[in-house]
Amino acid sequence: MVSFYLKDRNRESTSIQCSINPPGMPRICLSIPNSKISPKDWVSGRMRTGKGRQENGRIQDRLDLYKKTLLSFFGEYYETYNKYPNKSVLTQFLNADKSVADYFNKSSRAKIIELFDRVIQRRVEGMELTKGKRFSNQSISLYKSTRKALIGFQQYKGNKQLYVDQFKSKSLIEDFEIYLTTELDMMINTIANKMKTLKSFLQIAVSEGLIDYNPFKHHGIVIYTEETDSVVFTKEEMLALEELDFTDNPFHNKIRDQYLIYLWSGVRKSDLRNLLAVVNPNTNKYTFRSEKTGELCEIPAFETIKRLGEKYNYNFPEPIHDTIVLEEIKKICKLIPSMNNSVEKKYTKGGINKRDIKNKFQLVCIHTARRTLATQLYEHGLPLVQIMKITGHKKLATLQKYIKSDSDIQMMLDVGNSIGKTVK
């Protein structure tokens, strides 16, 4: 199974190569480090040894130990995983500088929770960045909730610890999905977020040499999602929201105004500060880079945004935390009669199809604003390509060259302002 040969017998000095032939697998070839010798000192696959050839004897001892280690590693790996390692796994073992016993000792294997702890800490402390920026609080929160679910899964499986390499098993990953579905009674998109997080952390494990492949990719594991029933503001509801009188309620006045910025800009939560920083009375568009995608966003200076800028003298107050906005905007929308209409919400939870009847205002969220603007602009005739330019979706990259002209902005203004022309 393991043999040695010279790389080039015709050279005065050449390196020793190792050939490994695992049953049923392609041959693996490795170069022995620091092994250059004269071809004259090589015969029948080994060093010439004997009197006066002490150095050759030491090299041969190294080769014998190398062969013994490889055979031991292949045997132990097959016993553990019921298959032979590929070249990548073998290289990881050799670079680990560990004995075979230590390499397969559970105490030296990475635990899945320890992997999460290590990566979360790096990202919280800013020691690891994404596109040059810190990971968002939303991402960190998702990591922590997935970690919590994995701890519960370990207990559910009767394990004190689950190891990273155990997740190479397709059945274990499927068991985790079933646990999230049946035991934690999660919605299908919540499950998808946790499965995507596990997939990304297992990819980190690959990059760190803890496992040799990502099992999601290797086994073709599909992460299922579903379209959620969502609501959008009608044109009349957009206008009604702006017309609500909160003279006696400054707090709700500020909440409503912040939501109107979302509603008339279509920005993501992460981009609100970026937008407010560039709102000014001397331009017909507000330009900035999206935090999420890095794409250039060009928000038309719609009349509602301009009115809000004038209201605050273009010195907008510090944005209120989105958790508070989410809670309070529902109360505000309840004041609009049509937002009290009943709507049906269908979803999958705990693996079972569900159907709820709710008031429209109960389904309003921050993202409703973004969805509303895109819907209204589309319904009033703005091409999808130009809507994507406003929203900053990454798929716009291939279409950027078609939408560079300033006439695009005027068209956006004309369409957008026609929606709100009845507002005084």
Side-chain angles (χ1 to χ4, degrees), residues 137-373:
N137 291 334
Q138 184 178 1
S139 294
I140 299 299
S141 177
L142 178 57
Y143 302 155
K144 290 180 177 179
S145 66
T146 305
R147 176 190 181 277
K148 181 179 180 181
L150 283 166
I151 291 175
F153 180 57
Q154 288 181 157
Q155 297 169 348
Y156 172 73
K157 295 288 287 183
N159 295 81
K160 290 185 177 180
Q161 295 287 348
L162 285 172
Y163 295 88
V164 173
D165 59 0
Q166 289 178 279
F167 281 88
K168 292 169 67 175
S169 165
K170 181 180 180 181
S171 62
L172 187 65
I173 293 176
E174 290 174 341
D175 285 349
F176 180 56
E177 183 179 26
I178 292 170
Y179 168 76
L180 297 175
T181 303
T182 61
E183 298 299 318
L184 299 189
D185 195 32
M186 288 183 173
M187 297 177 68
I188 194 168
N189 288 344
T190 304
I191 294 169
N193 287 336
K194 287 178 171 43
M195 295 293 283
K196 289 175 184 176
T197 301
L198 177 60
K199 178 181 178 180
S200 69
F201 273 65
L202 290 176
Q203 189 60 43
I204 294 170
V206 173
S207 67
E208 292 184 356
L210 302 176
I211 51 177
D212 56 319
Y213 59 79
N214 190 321
F216 280 85
K217 299 177 182 178
H218 183 79
H219 299 302
I221 296 173
V222 178
I223 299 175
Y224 293 99
T225 60
E226 67 179 357
E227 289 292 328
T228 57
D229 290 332
S230 55
V231 296
V232 296
F233 286 74
T234 64
K235 178 178 72 172
E236 292 74 20
E237 288 164 348
M238 294 172 74
L239 303 179
L241 180 63
E242 186 172 353
E243 292 173 343
L244 289 173
D245 185 2
F246 289 118
T247 303
D248 298 329
N249 191 336
F251 177 60
H252 272 182
N253 185 64
K254 187 177 176 182
I255 293 283
R256 185 270 311 275
D257 289 350
Q258 182 169 321
Y259 198 83
L260 282 172
I261 295 290
Y262 281 130
L263 195 59
W264 280 96
S265 66
V267 295
R268 298 181 177 92
K269 295 182 290 184
S270 57
D271 285 326
L272 179 61
R273 281 186 170 83
N274 292 341
L275 170 64
L276 295 180
V278 297
V279 172
N280 68 84
N282 304 315
T283 182
N284 65 349
K285 66 179 179 179
Y286 312 121
T287 305
F288 58 89
R289 291 282 178 185
S290 168
E291 289 285 337
K292 182 175 181 180
T293 66
E295 296 296 328
L296 189 68
C297 296
E298 294 186 348
I299 309 297
F302 292 130
E303 292 298 330
T304 297
I305 300 178
K306 291 167 68 175
R307 281 193 292 272
L308 289 170
E310 293 168 359
K311 177 178 179 178
Y312 291 99
N313 198 25
Y314 293 94
N315 184 22
F316 292 97
E318 178 67 17
I320 298 172
H321 194 279
D322 288 322
T323 303
I324 299 173
V325 174
L326 179 60
E327 180 180 352
E328 298 300 323
I329 195 60
K330 296 179 191 293
K331 300 175 185 177
I332 293 171
C333 288
K334 188 177 181 180
L335 300 175
I336 302 172
S338 63
M339 298 293 280
N340 288 270
N341 293 341
S342 296
V343 294
E344 183 181 60
K345 179 177 176 63
K346 294 180 180 179
Y347 57 96
T348 304
K349 185 179 181 184
I352 300 172
N353 292 329
K354 304 271 187 175
R355 175 180 177 270
D356 289 342
I357 303 297
K358 293 182 177 292
N359 297 116
K360 185 176 181 179
F361 72 84
Q362 293 177 296
L363 299 181
V364 171
C365 60
I366 305 295
H367 198 70
T368 303
R370 180 173 167 81
R371 189 182 299 116
T372 292
L373 182 63

Side-chain angles (χ1 to χ4, degrees), residues 43-217:
V43 60
S44 300
R46 58 183 293 113
M47 296 296 296
R48 291 180 183 271
T49 57
K51 189 175 180 180
R53 293 191 173 92
Q54 290 85 353
E55 180 60 26
N56 287 5
R58 284 189 285 270
I59 294 174
Q60 185 58 48
D61 288 343
R62 280 180 54 207
L63 296 179
D64 291 341
L65 178 60
Y66 197 83
K67 179 177 181 177
K68 181 179 178 180
T69 300
L70 290 178
L71 290 173
S72 176
F73 175 76
F74 269 76
E76 190 68 33
Y77 192 94
Y78 188 85
E79 184 176 331
T80 303
Y81 300 108
N82 198 33
K83 64 177 183 179
Y84 290 108
N86 59 26
K87 185 174 182 178
S88 175
V89 174
L90 179 58
T91 302
Q92 289 171 14
F93 163 66
L94 294 173
N95 292 338
D97 196 27
K98 292 181 179 180
S99 68
V100 174
D102 286 342
Y103 190 87
F104 287 97
N105 189 332
K106 283 191 175 182
S107 63
S108 68
R109 291 162 64 192
K111 299 170 183 175
I112 189 69
I113 300 303
E114 289 180 350
L115 172 65
F116 268 74
D117 287 341
R118 187 169 66 254
V119 175
I120 290 172
Q121 182 178 1
R122 289 201 307 256
R123 294 182 175 182
V124 167
E125 295 177 354
M127 298 172 63
E128 186 175 316
L129 305 176
T130 174
K131 298 179 181 177
K133 298 179 181 179
R134 285 178 176 265
F135 285 83
S136 67
N137 291 334
Q138 184 178 1
S139 294
I140 299 299
S141 177
L142 178 57
Y143 302 155
K144 290 180 177 179
S145 66
T146 305
R147 176 190 181 277
K148 181 179 180 181
L150 283 166
I151 291 175
F153 180 57
Q154 288 181 157
Q155 297 169 348
Y156 172 73
K157 295 288 287 183
N159 295 81
K160 290 185 177 180
Q161 295 287 348
L162 285 172
Y163 295 88
V164 173
D165 59 0
Q166 289 178 279
F167 281 88
K168 292 169 67 175
S169 165
K170 181 180 180 181
S171 62
L172 187 65
I173 293 176
E174 290 174 341
D175 285 349
F176 180 56
E177 183 179 26
I178 292 170
Y179 168 76
L180 297 175
T181 303
T182 61
E183 298 299 318
L184 299 189
D185 195 32
M186 288 183 173
M187 297 177 68
I188 194 168
N189 288 344
T190 304
I191 294 169
N193 287 336
K194 287 178 171 43
M195 295 293 283
K196 289 175 184 176
T197 301
L198 177 60
K199 178 181 178 180
S200 69
F201 273 65
L202 290 176
Q203 189 60 43
I204 294 170
V206 173
S207 67
E208 292 184 356
L210 302 176
I211 51 177
D212 56 319
Y213 59 79
N214 190 321
F216 280 85
K217 299 177 182 178

Side-chain angles (χ1 to χ4, degrees), residues 1-18:
M1 184 174 175
V2 178
S3 59
F4 301 99
Y5 64 97
L6 296 185
K7 184 175 182 179
D8 188 351
R9 280 185 166 276
N10 296 319
R11 299 176 66 92
E12 291 186 3
S13 178
T14 188
S15 61
I16 301 173
Q17 306 290 300
C18 178

